Amino acid sequence: MSRFPEGFLWGGAVAANQCEGAYNEDGKGFSIQDVMPNGIRGPRTEMPTEDNMKLIGIDFYHRYKEDVRLFAEMGFKVFRTSIAWSRIFPHGDEQEPNEKGLQFYDDLFDECHKYGIEPLVTISHYETPLYLAEKYNGWANRKMIDFYEHYVRTIFARYKGKVKYWLTFNEINSVLHEPFMSGGINTPKEELSEQDLYQAVHHELVASALATKIAHEMMPEAKVGCMILSMPTYPLSPDPDDVIEVMESEHKNYFFGDVHVRGIYPGYMKRYFREHDIQIHFEPEDEEILKNTVDFVSFSYYMSVCATADPEKQIRGAGNLMGGVPNPTLKASEWGWQIDAKGLRYVLNMFYDRYQKPLFIVENGLGAVDVLVEDEQGNPTVEDGYRIEYLNDHLIQLSEAIEDGVEVMGYTTWGCIDLVSASTAELKKRYGFIYVDRNDDGTGTLERYKKKSFYWYKKVIATNGESLFE
């Protein structure tokens, strides 16, 4: 009997702002990513600067047919991508959508279906229209709910029948750590109060639930999931104070899943708000809207961290977007992320025990510096055995979670084709099965080459995971 269920959705994931390029073509407006040349918000600017790698990305906008054909060759059952909000509504607050933007995604989804690949679409993936950030201060402003509702009604009406799986926001909990990138909040991070930050979170949660409600009304066959940045936290020691520190740290992330799945604010967050003098303003309809809960829970998983109550040991790990103390028992990637395959089994069990909803791993992978070489036939390739080892170890732990009784819908590796890093805006931090000939200085042909891992993943999919155990 197969260790993975029949119909398991194998595939890969990208984000529009990291791969499409064509930042100013066919009526597209600027997104916040267009003014983040180094992965963080630079000096205030009216125009994108040429050193931003994301402006060209990997030119997926013009080369998507070639790339989807390569995904099909690997055997993808699902392809996760996002819609660039500013392609559909260049400013974000228009009444009429941009037809050329809508048509691009029509063409992309049709291309996927040509090969039997199901699109898994993130509605908002770190690419709030820049105009909404600068005029309205992003999700700190309740008006964003109306703009988002208009946007989702537009794309649901256009793509119903073409897109079965939807995610409302990418890594929604990351707004606590990167309010501009995640929530389009233009207030400088150091000036943003917890009151305003958690009010923005409330606006996103209401918008997410509203999108779920609308999707179920307009597309009864569709499935809607939340998407959480998962980073399990272990106590640095068995000291009960460290264990409590872990519990309180995990609450900050569980909060987002709890509201999406249960439809109410959990007691532990109500306590946190009381003790920190945070008063969330609810409009009369909000409580009812939040009851529109998701069909599945999706998440990214790259690493785990530790926590301790001892202030002398609270050392932030290199590269950790959401903080955390490095685990002294684990090795780290070139970017300082602790590699913890067993943590994937752990987090799958934690989420399933908590929610009893189907789970979907929509990001997992290893960012590394890849070197292009020639294979025995003289063809360019990358000997990325380190990536194969990383993914193989994680997928074996995924199979263990399935043995534990966890219901898992599918698995999409992050950056299935090389793309520009969200956190560092580099291309040298590569995740893909497909090498893209573009460098951080902007040079390169943009040609695509299959890495060794391309053929490894093709076999994994063809055998429904059985090749992992050979």
Side-chain angles (χ1 to χ4, degrees):
M1 190 176 78
S2 174
R3 297 171 174 88
F4 290 85
E6 186 179 348
F8 189 78
L9 293 169
W10 296 98
V14 299
N17 70 86
Q18 293 170 254
C19 71
E20 283 181 4
Y23 76 101
N24 59 354
E25 292 186 38
D26 293 335
K28 182 185 178 297
F30 296 146
S31 88
I32 56 169
Q33 293 290 346
D34 296 328
V35 294
M36 297 176 71
N38 302 306
I40 57 174
R41 179 70 189 268
R44 193 178 188 85
T45 176
E46 291 301 316
M47 289 291 292
T49 54
E50 291 183 2
D51 60 337
N52 188 350
M53 294 292 289
K54 294 174 187 171
L55 303 186
I56 295 175
I58 59 165
D59 198 30
F60 181 77
Y61 189 78
H62 298 110
R63 295 171 177 252
Y64 70 89
K65 289 186 178 181
E66 174 187 358
D67 295 338
V68 171
R69 186 170 67 249
L70 287 166
F71 302 155
E73 186 181 335
M74 273 187 282
F76 279 20
K77 312 299 182 189
V78 65
F79 172 51
R80 180 191 173 209
T81 190
S82 64
I83 293 175
W85 188 345
S86 60
R87 277 203 198 283
I88 311 304
F89 293 101
H91 282 167
D93 63 353
E94 297 93 342
Q95 280 303 303
E96 294 301 317
N98 173 33
E99 174 58 29
K100 287 186 177 179
L102 288 169
Q103 187 61 50
F104 169 71
Y105 294 104
D106 262 324
D107 295 342
L108 172 59
F109 301 150
D110 287 346
E111 197 68 17
C112 289
H113 284 298
K114 186 169 104 177
Y115 297 101
I117 299 171
E118 287 283 354
L120 166 62
V121 175
T122 312
I123 296 168
S124 180
H125 191 134
Y126 291 171
E127 49 208 342
T128 306
L130 181 61
Y131 184 81
L132 295 184
E134 297 196 325
K135 181 172 182 179
Y136 298 97
N137 203 21
W139 284 99
N141 191 324
R142 189 177 174 94
K143 288 181 181 178
M144 288 288 287
I145 298 175
D146 295 332
F147 302 143
Y148 184 81
E149 178 183 358
H150 185 48
Y151 167 48
V152 299
R153 286 187 182 278
T154 301
I155 59 176
F156 288 169
R158 183 70 172 233
Y159 306 126
K160 65 181 178 182
K162 290 190 179 184
V163 179
K164 182 178 178 181
Y165 302 106
W166 297 88
L167 306 178
T168 54
F169 291 95
N170 179 67
E171 295 182 330
I172 187 169
N173 50 322
S174 64
V175 71
L176 299 179
H177 304 270
E178 296 295 337
F180 181 71
M181 183 169 74
S182 182
I185 299 171
N186 211 31
T187 302
K189 186 176 176 179
E190 61 276 8
E191 297 173 19
L192 187 64
S193 69
E194 274 204 299
Q195 169 68 47
D196 289 343
L197 180 56
Y198 275 103
Q199 187 65 52
V201 167
H202 176 73
H203 297 155
E204 282 198 273
L205 289 170
V206 170
S208 184
L210 187 58
T212 303
K213 177 178 186 290
I214 295 165
H216 288 155
E217 290 169 352
M218 294 180 68
M219 306 175 292
E221 75 290 351
K223 302 293 183 186
V224 183
C226 57
M227 200 297 208
I228 298 163
L229 193 165
S230 141
M231 198 165 71
T233 306
Y234 308 144
L236 192 61
S237 81
D239 187 321
D241 285 342
D242 280 7
V243 177
I244 294 296
E245 186 76 20
V246 166
M247 181 187 77
E248 292 180 344
S249 173
E250 290 280 53
H251 277 165
K252 294 280 184 67
N253 293 321
Y254 278 134
F255 162 51
F256 292 83
D258 287 356
V259 175
H260 274 104
V261 173
R262 297 171 178 164
I264 57 172
Y265 272 58
Y268 58 81
M269 282 311 294
K270 292 179 180 178
R271 174 180 179 174
Y272 183 85
F273 293 156
R274 283 195 308 271
E275 293 181 353
H276 291 79
D277 196 27
I278 296 169
Q279 297 176 338
I280 304 299
H281 175 73
F282 273 65
E283 290 294 335
E285 66 272 20
D286 288 1
E287 197 170 329
E288 201 60 33
I289 291 172
L290 288 174
K291 292 178 183 176
N292 292 279
T293 55
V294 292
D295 302 302
F296 64 94
V297 174
S298 77
F299 61 92
S300 58
Y301 178 78
Y302 296 99
M303 58 185 291
S304 61
V305 293
C306 292
T308 177
D310 185 344
E312 294 184 5
K313 296 179 181 177
Q314 289 177 351
I315 303 166
R316 183 183 175 121
N320 289 11
L321 173 66
M322 298 175 67
V325 178
N327 189 325
T329 72
L330 297 175
K331 295 179 181 178
S333 74
E334 292 175 78
W335 272 265
W337 295 12
Q338 288 83 63
I339 298 172
D340 179 16
K342 290 182 178 178
L344 180 56
R345 177 186 178 188
Y346 172 77
V347 80
L348 282 162
N349 273 273
M350 291 302 100
F351 278 143
Y352 196 66
D353 289 349
R354 192 176 189 95
Y355 299 133
Q356 295 293 299
K357 291 269 190 183
L359 304 179
F360 205 139
I361 304 161
V362 295
E363 287 187 31
N364 174 238
L366 178 68
V369 176
D370 290 340
V371 178
L372 202 61
V373 297
E374 287 189 354
D375 65 15
E376 292 174 358
Q377 287 74 42
N379 299 312
T381 189
V382 174
E383 295 289 337
D384 58 341
Y386 43 86
R387 179 168 293 110
I388 293 170
E389 180 183 3
Y390 175 98
L391 293 172
N392 202 96
D393 289 350
H394 281 74
L395 287 171
I396 286 173
Q397 292 303 317
L398 166 54
S399 77
E400 291 287 342
I402 292 170
E403 284 291 306
D404 294 332
V406 178
E407 185 181 355
V408 186
M409 297 167 62
Y411 172 86
T412 58
T413 62
W414 176 247
C416 49
I417 181 170
D418 290 346
L419 38 65
V420 182
S421 167
S423 57
T424 63
E426 299 170 298
L427 242 165
K428 71 177 181 181
K429 184 183 183 184
R430 298 174 183 272
Y431 285 87
F433 302 118
I434 300 162
Y435 184 93
V436 177
D437 182 23
R438 188 167 187 236
N439 307 304
D440 285 346
D441 62 2
T443 60
T445 64
L446 289 169
E447 287 300 302
R448 276 64 165 146
Y449 303 110
K450 301 169 191 176
K451 302 180 189 178
K452 184 178 180 180
S453 58
F454 180 102
Y455 301 100
W456 169 84
Y457 197 47
K458 179 178 181 178
K459 188 174 181 182
V460 170
I461 297 173
T463 63
N464 199 29
E466 287 306 298
S467 64
L468 298 165
F469 304 91
E470 291 178 350

